[in-house]
Amino acid sequence: CRNPGPRKAVVSTQSTGDWLLRNQETPVSEYYVIKQGRSLKVSKGMKGILEPIMANMFCYKEPEGHGKYFVGYQNTDIAGNACIEGPCRNEDSNPAGPHCLIKSGGKSVSSSCGIPQCIWDVECSNLADNGAGYRGSANSVTVDGTSYSCQSWDSDRPHVNFYHPSDYNTAMYGIGLHNYCRNPGPRSTQKPWCYTSSMWIRSAECSIPSCTNQNYFKN
């Protein structure tokens, strides 16, 4: 007798960009990244959710430094001119968004890449990641019919805050010097939330609409 191991299935994508394959039963804790042009072997019979990695790949998140964390593959500017030093980036948080150096008139000049701003999982809550990608401006919650403003993420009043702004928290969850609803704990919380301004109510989930497949980019 032999046990060749569990049967495998191959998952591949037909489109450009990177994709996420999430286990439907545990979408936040079990997921796989499929890089552009690659394929992935998974256990046959696995019920998965296949979704494009939109944010910071095909579009950029405005609240995070005008696309500072954009890591897409585009290597031409908005006019189609080839970038001469790698793909479009915005590490200096230029208000113009992701850009690159191109040759123009015998000189190297910076040119915008025309990367659109994200709408998908920025102005809505993506169920696949429990709203961890939400970057909207909702900043209040309603509990038992009463509305409360959110506590700022850089404050410990009236509640001790475990998610202060940091490079990691900003890049991953959009935590910053503001009081907008976010979800820095997607493994334990299913929707964007915030600490409240009421000393009697520590935290509550925000009323954020769920993402649909209708809109991805902001023109």
Side-chain angles (χ1 to χ4, degrees), residues 160-177:
V160 175
N161 172 14
F162 295 108
Y163 299 101
H164 283 275
S166 66
D167 289 343
Y168 178 82
N169 284 341
T170 298
M172 293 297 294
Y173 306 117
I175 299 296
L177 305 178

Side-chain angles (χ1 to χ4, degrees), residues 74-83 88 100 102 111-115:
Q74 183 170 323
N75 57 5
T76 59
D77 73 353
I78 192 172
N81 299 303
C83 299
C88 303
C100 70
I102 64 169
S111 180
S112 172
C113 292
I115 306 297

Side-chain angles (χ1 to χ4, degrees), residues 63 121-124 133-139 178 180-182 208:
D121 86 359
V122 172
E123 297 183 359
C124 57
Y134 174 71
R135 298 295 184 271
S137 57
N139 62 355
H178 57 69
Y180 300 143
C181 299
R182 296 291 184 261
I208 308 298

Side-chain angles (χ1 to χ4, degrees), residues 12 14-15 30 66 123:
S12 60
Q14 301 299 319
S15 183
E30 186 178 355
H66 307 291
E123 297 183 359

